[in-house]
Amino acid sequence: MRPNIVVIGAGYAGVSFLKSLDEACFRLANFTIINKNSYHYHSTMLHKVATAEKSGKIMFDLREFLHPEIKIVQQVVIDIDEASHMVVTEFGEFRYDYLVVAAGFEKESFNLKGIENAMFIDSYIQSGKIAERLKLKFDEGLESKNGLKVAVCGGGLTGIEFAASCADMLRKKCEFYGVSNEMASKFSVHLISSTPRLLTFFSEKLSQKTADKLTEKGVKILHSTRIDSLQDGKVVFQNGNTLDADIIIWSAGVKGASIVSDSDVENERGRVKVDDTLKAIGSKHRYYIGDVSAVSDGKGGFYPPTAQIACEQGEFLARHFKAMLFGEKTDEKFRFKSNGMICSIGHSYATAQVLGVELGGWVPAFLKTMVEKKWNAKLLGFGEMFL
């Protein structure tokens, strides 16, 4: 009897796994993917969705690129019953012989008081709502002549990339409507960072270059600033100061999906420790990849969850399952070595540390675009690379 292999989640990790399987694998096992949406999207490009930036195709229908033998179930997973090997959804149950949990990330609010007053860049739908809100508030600010103030809470990659894209969007809209310089100055973006400098995984020089470019775009950066609470239209800091804001964007952290963080499986903020074959420690049938996995970095810590490691995990696991389905022995162990990190600061500029080399300008921006296009090619073939 063919084994049932169930995948939870259609993010980079889950899709990379399914797209890396050989044709023969689909004749040897039954594959099912369960996802709350009928599509996959570039989560690394959500900041562009949130500012309505034109940047090629971002969302892909699952049936558009997945093998026809893969069963697609559009439902919300509510529980994983390990004893009976069942994935429980809102409408049914799905038995598995092997389970690949690639459920992705969710926002991390750290139980902040007033968090409901913020908007989140944590899904395609939510990012689209931010774009709609920005357009509405811009029009209102233009009519009232009060302008628009956007507060971005969180100085990580997502916060920086959104702040830069938002500043560009506001500037272009002001230019389009012929807004005076005095009036244009009332349309502003504030980036709130709890650290003394941005992107602490970069060198101090590269971090400063990132801050300088943001400032050049008009982004006002608040370093070493910790948030106490959020109110309707106001950010309250721990030092007692406040910042009025028409729109508050929360980008201060993510955690693994709640289906993992709320489960009985031992985890840390929704991330499960895995062995060198990506199985949950002590399990024979459950694999965790992407944002819900914790992969040891060999130094006492864990690699941060990124699209890069998620894609490599998916490719590795596909090779692992192919060997298993063909009854072949494999001694391959998952090993990760980061190629670097790229931070977009607008459409044509980025800062990066790639293979140990620090870069700033259009070259890393081009490299990031090529990474995104390479993913398009993996999904739909080389001919679709430039969508």
Side-chain angles (χ1 to χ4, degrees), residues 43-311:
S43 60
T44 58
M45 298 170 69
L46 287 180
H47 64 282
K48 297 183 179 182
V49 178
T51 55
E53 182 180 327
K54 294 180 180 179
S55 53
K57 190 165 184 177
I58 293 176
M59 183 176 69
F60 304 81
D61 187 278
L62 295 179
R63 187 47 71 202
E64 184 180 10
F65 63 85
L66 287 180
H67 193 282
E69 290 294 324
I70 299 172
K71 181 179 181 180
I72 299 173
V73 177
Q74 186 185 348
Q75 294 180 25
V76 175
V77 175
I78 58 177
D79 190 27
I80 299 172
D81 188 336
E82 299 175 46
S84 59
H85 281 210
M86 287 287 187
V87 174
V88 183
T89 71
E90 54 190 333
F91 299 121
E93 297 179 341
F94 299 85
R95 191 186 68 81
Y96 67 85
D97 294 295
Y98 298 98
L99 178 65
V100 178
V101 185
F105 70 90
E106 294 179 2
K107 64 179 180 290
E108 174 61 275
S109 64
F110 304 104
N111 297 314
L112 185 76
K113 182 180 178 181
I115 192 67
E116 66 275 6
N117 293 305
M119 302 186 77
F120 307 91
I121 310 175
D122 62 349
S123 71
Y124 190 89
I125 292 175
Q126 290 301 316
S127 297
K129 289 181 179 179
I130 291 174
E132 294 173 2
R133 185 70 179 273
L134 280 169
K135 181 181 183 302
L136 174 64
K137 286 296 185 180
F138 180 90
D139 292 343
E140 290 179 355
L142 200 59
E143 184 176 352
S144 68
K145 300 189 184 305
N146 291 326
L148 168 64
K149 185 180 290 186
V150 180
V152 184
C153 305
L157 282 172
T158 300
I160 290 171
E161 293 183 332
F162 172 78
S165 186
C166 187
D168 283 345
M169 181 271 291
L170 293 177
R171 175 181 54 78
K172 290 175 183 177
K173 288 179 81 70
C174 285
E175 290 175 353
F176 179 81
Y177 287 105
V179 175
S180 68
N181 290 337
E182 181 183 357
M183 182 63 193
S185 66
K186 296 182 179 181
F187 292 85
S188 61
V189 180
H190 290 72
L191 179 63
I192 304 165
S193 173
S194 63
T195 56
R197 65 181 179 89
L198 301 176
L199 305 179
T200 53
F201 49 80
F202 279 171
S203 70
E204 192 166 341
K205 179 181 178 181
L206 198 58
S207 174
Q208 186 59 51
K209 186 174 288 189
T210 302
D212 289 345
K213 191 62 179 180
L214 284 169
T215 302
E216 181 184 316
K217 288 180 175 292
V219 177
K220 298 175 175 61
I221 306 172
L222 284 69
H223 290 291
S224 302
T225 305
R226 294 191 173 275
I227 298 171
D228 177 74
S229 62
L230 302 178
Q231 298 177 8
D232 184 14
K234 184 175 294 186
V235 181
V236 181
F237 303 120
Q238 289 184 358
N239 61 10
N241 293 335
T242 62
L243 174 69
D244 292 331
D246 300 288
I247 298 177
I248 301 172
I249 305 297
W250 183 262
S251 63
V254 296
K255 63 180 180 179
S258 58
I259 186 62
V260 175
S261 61
D262 296 342
S263 71
D264 294 332
V265 178
E266 185 178 349
N267 69 88
E268 180 68 30
R269 292 176 62 196
R271 300 180 70 196
V272 176
K273 292 180 183 179
V274 295
D275 62 19
D276 51 21
T277 63
L278 303 180
K279 285 197 295 286
I281 303 297
S283 174
K284 295 181 179 179
H285 308 282
R286 287 179 294 108
Y287 297 79
Y288 289 78
I289 57 177
D291 295 309
V292 295
S293 69
V295 179
S296 172
D297 61 7
K299 302 175 184 177
F302 301 96
Y303 289 109
T306 63
Q308 184 183 157
I309 191 171
C311 291

Side-chain angles (χ1 to χ4, degrees), residues 319-333:
R319 295 192 298 272
H320 180 78
F321 267 78
K322 179 185 175 183
M324 186 167 58
L325 291 173
F326 278 88
E328 299 172 350
K329 181 177 175 58
T330 176
D331 296 323
E332 184 183 5
K333 303 182 189 310

Side-chain angles (χ1 to χ4, degrees), residues 11-17 20 290 306-317 319 334 336 375 378:
Y12 291 116
V15 168
S16 177
F17 167 64
S20 300
T306 63
Q308 184 183 157
I309 191 171
C311 291
E312 290 196 18
Q313 285 178 311
E315 292 172 359
F316 167 86
L317 200 58
R319 295 192 298 272
F334 181 75
F336 177 69
W375 182 246
K378 184 176 182 69

